[in-house]
Amino acid sequence: MPNVADSERVDGEILAAAKGGGAVFGGRLFVWAARFVIAFILARVLGAEGYGLYTLAFTVATLISAFAGLGFDSAIVRYAAVYAGRNDGPRVRGTLEIGIFVPVGVALALSVGLFVLAEPIAVSVLRQPAFTRVAWTVALLVPLMVVNAQLAASLQGLRRIHLAVLAEQIGQPTSRLLFIGLLTLVGLTAETALVAAVLATLVATALLLVQLRRSLGAVDALGRTVREPGQM
């Protein structure tokens, strides 16, 4: 006969997966809606040239951050879930440390390169001299994007998908809209629109860090609870 505890555990995992899937779907809908509103505002305020420069800068930031991630986010989700399922706090922390610090180190190196070589890249590679003046902001944005991707993956691996969605797909676009609105009052440009993205990404980083710290504390506490009876 099937073990009742195992059956309950499986049912709980299925329910958690269903809730996580619903949270991701809802978060993506919100992100798409927020992106549409942001694009509409920026296109109207910045004009064709300014919006084109902003789009180019954000595309460069996205490409560099995707490369710097090195696929570590997928590894974090997989192995953090395995070790969290075993209530093995030290291995969870070790997985997260490697999965976060290695891509962030790569992102920082690439950002320094972009910062130093902004003008040659703008003129010779992109053939957009105006990109030089926004490249420095992009260099700030890239490491933050990589940090957030790894932190969100960490929460997913710990089965806290809804918390990752709340920070990245709800908190970040909402903050970005707010900062864009405030900066519009003082004069919005492609550079300040990117500053709004940096500030919103920082807000998401803070939310992700708080939730990850709490989640790791719960894993450690559960691990101690599981080990104590066997040590008596």
Side-chain angles (χ1 to χ4, degrees), residues 180-188:
I180 287 174
L182 292 174
L183 290 170
T184 300
L185 299 177
V186 298
L188 191 66

Side-chain angles (χ1 to χ4, degrees), residues 16-32 77 152-153 155-157 159-170:
K19 288 181 177 179
V24 170
F25 179 72
R28 285 179 178 173
L29 285 179
F30 187 86
V31 167
W32 290 334
V77 172
L155 286 171
Q156 291 177 38
R159 299 176 186 174
R160 306 292 194 276
I161 298 175
H162 62 290
L163 298 179
V165 169
L166 181 63
E168 265 215 314
Q169 299 183 358
I170 305 296

Side-chain angles (χ1 to χ4, degrees), residues 94-169:
T95 298
L96 300 190
E97 287 173 1
I98 294 173
I100 293 173
F101 289 125
V102 171
V104 170
V106 174
L108 287 172
L110 292 174
S111 293
V112 170
L114 176 61
F115 188 89
V116 173
L117 301 174
E119 186 173 356
I121 290 173
V123 175
S124 302
V125 179
L126 299 177
R127 302 190 183 280
Q128 291 284 343
F131 179 78
T132 304
R133 68 178 188 265
V134 297
W136 292 347
T137 309
V138 172
L140 292 175
L141 183 59
V142 166
L144 293 174
M145 293 175 71
V146 174
V147 167
N148 285 6
Q150 309 313 311
L151 292 177
S154 301
L155 286 171
Q156 291 177 38
L158 297 176
R159 299 176 186 174
R160 306 292 194 276
I161 298 175
H162 62 290
L163 298 179
V165 169
L166 181 63
E168 265 215 314
Q169 299 183 358

